[in-house]
Amino acid sequence: MLSNLFRYSVRLSFACIALLHASLSLAADRPNVILFIADDVSWNDYGCYGNSAARTPNIDALAGAGIRFDRAYLTASSCSPSRSSIITGRYPHNNGKAAELHQPISLHLPWFPEILKQSGYYTALSGKHHMKSTAPGPGQSPRPDAFDHVDTGKTKGDTSGSANWLSVTRQRPKDQPFFFWFASYDAHRGWDADQQWKPDEYGPKHRPEDVVVPPFLSDDAKTRQDLASYYNEVTRFDYRIGVVVDELRRQGVLDDTLIYVLADNGRPFPRAKTRLHDSGMKTALVAHWPKGIKWTGASDQLVSVIDLAPTVLSAAGCETPETMQGASMLPLFEQASASIRRYAFSEHNWHDYEAFGRSVRDGDHLLIFNQRPYLAWQGPADSVRSDSHQQLRALRASGQLSDAQADVFLTPRPSVELYNVKTDPHQLNNLAAQPEHTETQTRLKAVLDEWMEATGDSVPEKLSPDTFDRETGKPLGKDSIDAAGATTPGEDRSADQINAPGPM
């Protein structure tokens, strides 16, 4: 008997083929698509988002001729859960074990590039992958290949993940529309751009004295150098985008290509990566598509990265599977006043350290719900090992931490945090429990509860435990890690079988 997965694949193939045949006369209108995904870059580390020290001329140019989304949010500020969420169009806990770092997506869930591939697109992944499906069990078929071509994006002397983007673009079949998942390793620690720098291509290195130091970091020489090295990687990412855009222009297909620029999570610094606050969960999102976007400028409409998959499929003329929980962004391309959602939801699960946090945004407000308030949100282990984090430890030892810096180590944390992100862009003033904000807090908590219930989210009795030291970032000994009986959020409710998106 055919497995359910095989039946789904056959049905999906016929659906895409039918759609394709029905629109043969409009075949030229099927756009090419590229996702440029940075690794660990915060939303405000690009020139077009107001960073005066950032050098990102190519991204800025795409934003100037397209749409810059100012309220775009990730579902997880953690590498593989975020990427898995983007590729399935689902919330992390609805992807099964993939809710946590390095874990696989449940086998039955389709990836949008495989749908594109089945409908006639040439698909390629160059750079960081970090996604996988669970192994097939008895009577199950493996997932169809999502990509015709896969490479690491690395060459001798260039470990950026973007080294092959130009060759992939040049060598693609010219008789098919294409989809490229171009995923850089920039700007993941440790910094390799400093040693691989090409000034004739990237320009001069960033100077420590020019960087923008957020208020929750220490403003000192080591932290500034740490940020300058990070900026270098952002600039290399930007340069490689420019190289691809120039090649698309040379081939005469730039106007027919939908380009997105985004990141998987915030910068790998304290109070950023893995945080539910904007420094971790808000992403730069630039959309460029001359033939498909009817206006240009900045959009304040709320969008989530789970909206990318249904957008691309809709633009390509493919049916969006019922498993996808996002909404198509095509109406936003038509007019600036269009809206596709009132709320954006995000989650913080295990990433090196035990954690359970959930958040909801409704535009100006962010509500955070924390089920492990007795644990600090110090950031992932690579951030803890950084000079920037260790400089904060030194300030703590000498009693010189500001309130913003002290938040990196805060225990216990509030169970509920409420912020006005418009008036408090760094989310330093917690409005929770203030009487004048009771209505907003109550309303958003009810929306978050509704979303958790509708999507099958849950708080396991035992979560995956810490695997690194919270002060030093060094790995813990295996004998000190008790992971027996730990489960992922939603696992007890089979959340990977639930397709309901909850409140939109």
Side-chain angles (χ1 to χ4, degrees):
M1 187 171 70
L2 292 172
S3 70
N4 290 334
L5 177 59
F6 182 73
R7 290 181 186 276
Y8 170 80
S9 298
V10 170
R11 185 170 66 252
L12 186 59
S13 297
F14 280 124
C16 284
I17 290 170
L19 280 168
L20 179 57
H21 285 177
S23 59
L24 278 178
S25 62
L26 300 175
D29 294 330
R30 302 187 82 204
N32 310 303
V33 183
I34 302 178
L35 264 62
F36 290 109
I37 304 177
D39 198 4
D40 299 4
V41 177
S42 287
W43 70 276
N44 53 353
D45 291 326
Y46 302 90
C48 57
Y49 280 89
N51 189 317
S52 59
R55 195 164 67 245
T56 54
N58 297 296
I59 297 172
D60 299 348
L62 290 174
I67 301 176
R68 186 194 74 206
F69 288 94
D70 290 347
R71 289 180 171 175
Y73 295 98
L74 303 161
T75 58
S77 186
S78 176
C79 301
S80 64
S82 178
R83 293 164 188 266
S84 297
S85 187
I86 293 168
I87 211 163
T88 63
R90 293 171 65 83
Y91 294 109
H93 69 273
N94 292 114
N95 275 334
K97 286 292 187 181
E100 294 185 347
L101 184 67
H102 305 313
Q103 296 301 310
I105 301 166
S106 292
L107 178 67
H108 70 281
L109 297 173
W111 301 11
F112 80 85
E114 77 188 35
I115 301 172
L116 293 175
K117 183 172 181 285
Q118 291 168 352
S119 73
Y121 273 72
Y122 173 75
T123 61
L125 183 154
S126 182
K128 186 171 183 176
H129 200 313
H130 216 189
M131 299 169 292
K132 57 187 177 182
S133 289
T134 53
Q140 291 183 310
S141 302
R143 281 232 61 82
D145 289 334
F147 299 101
D148 294 294
H149 169 89
V150 175
D151 72 71
T152 64
K154 298 180 179 181
T155 59
K156 185 177 181 180
D158 188 338
T159 53
S160 64
S162 58
N164 298 330
W165 292 357
L166 178 59
S167 62
V168 171
T169 305
R170 284 178 171 170
Q171 295 168 13
R172 66 179 179 86
K174 301 305 190 292
D175 58 348
Q176 294 174 258
F178 61 84
F179 169 75
F180 296 156
W181 180 282
F182 282 168
S184 175
Y185 284 90
D186 292 337
H188 196 287
R189 294 182 182 272
W191 314 130
D192 55 14
D194 285 356
Q195 289 73 45
Q196 301 170 0
W197 196 254
K198 299 177 181 179
D200 56 327
E201 295 181 354
Y202 316 140
K205 290 182 180 179
H206 288 274
R207 303 188 310 166
E209 56 265 37
D210 295 334
V211 301
V212 178
V213 182
F216 39 81
L217 296 183
S218 172
D219 192 346
D220 60 71
K222 287 187 175 181
T223 299
R224 282 184 168 272
Q225 181 56 62
D226 206 12
L227 284 165
S229 295
Y230 161 72
Y231 277 35
N232 288 340
E233 306 231 337
V234 177
T235 289
R236 181 167 63 174
F237 171 66
D238 175 85
Y239 172 80
R240 289 287 165 65
I241 290 175
V243 168
V244 173
V245 169
D246 287 345
E247 177 62 20
L248 295 175
R249 186 178 289 112
R250 188 192 68 79
Q251 294 180 15
V253 297
L254 179 61
D255 287 357
D256 300 306
T257 302
L258 168 57
I259 294 174
Y260 277 116
V261 181
L262 67 153
D264 62 351
N265 48 247
R267 69 177 78 90
F269 285 79
R271 208 179 187 272
K273 183 177 178 179
T274 72
R275 281 291 187 117
L276 288 160
H277 304 85
D278 281 3
S279 51
M281 205 64 72
K282 186 174 181 177
T283 182
L285 182 64
V286 170
H288 182 274
W289 181 18
K291 283 195 174 179
I293 293 177
K294 305 304 182 185
W295 66 282
T296 61
S299 171
D300 63 356
Q301 297 298 330
L302 203 62
V303 293
S304 169
V305 292
I306 62 170
D307 300 330
L308 299 181
T311 304
V312 172
L313 292 178
S314 296
C318 281
E319 182 179 356
T320 300
E322 63 182 4
T323 56
M324 293 187 176
Q325 296 167 307
S328 171
M329 295 170 62
L330 292 185
L332 306 182
F333 294 170
E334 292 289 328
Q335 57 186 60
S337 60
S339 176
I340 61 170
R341 59 170 60 249
R342 284 189 62 192
Y343 306 107
F345 301 91
S346 305
E347 51 193 87
H348 174 29
N349 303 311
W350 181 89
H351 182 126
D352 299 337
Y353 303 105
E354 179 180 343
F356 186 102
R358 297 293 183 264
S359 70
V360 57
R361 291 172 169 83
D362 72 343
D364 287 347
H365 289 96
L366 162 65
L367 180 104
I368 296 174
F369 175 57
N370 184 3
Q371 275 287 345
R372 291 296 187 271
Y374 50 85
L375 298 175
W377 279 358
Q378 75 292 319
D382 62 344
S383 172
V384 171
R385 292 190 293 268
S386 72
D387 284 342
S388 295
H389 186 95
Q390 295 306 313
Q391 290 297 102
L392 291 176
R393 288 185 69 200
L395 289 179
R396 182 184 60 180
S398 60
Q400 299 181 65
L401 287 174
S402 67
D403 289 344
Q405 294 164 345
D407 182 76
V408 173
F409 306 102
L410 182 64
T411 53
R413 297 195 59 80
S415 296
V416 179
E417 299 175 44
L418 176 67
Y419 300 98
N420 185 315
V421 299
K422 187 174 183 179
T423 61
D424 181 17
H426 293 293
Q427 291 96 66
L428 302 177
N429 180 27
N430 186 6
L431 306 175
Q434 294 185 14
E436 61 269 35
H437 299 287
T438 298
E439 186 278 331
T440 299
Q441 179 176 329
T442 301
R443 175 177 58 83
L444 288 179
K445 184 58 169 63
V447 171
L448 186 62
D449 289 344
E450 181 185 355
W451 172 76
M452 293 180 67
E453 177 60 30
T455 60
D457 198 6
S458 65
V459 187
E461 183 175 340
K462 184 174 182 179
L463 292 167
S464 296
D466 293 1
T467 53
F468 293 84
D469 185 273
R470 287 179 177 257
E471 287 289 314
T472 66
K474 294 180 179 179
L476 298 175
K478 291 184 178 180
D479 293 342
S480 64
I481 301 172
D482 178 16
T487 57
T488 52
E491 188 172 352
D492 60 317
R493 300 182 63 190
S494 299
D496 63 344
Q497 302 292 328
I498 295 175
N499 300 328
M504 296 285 285

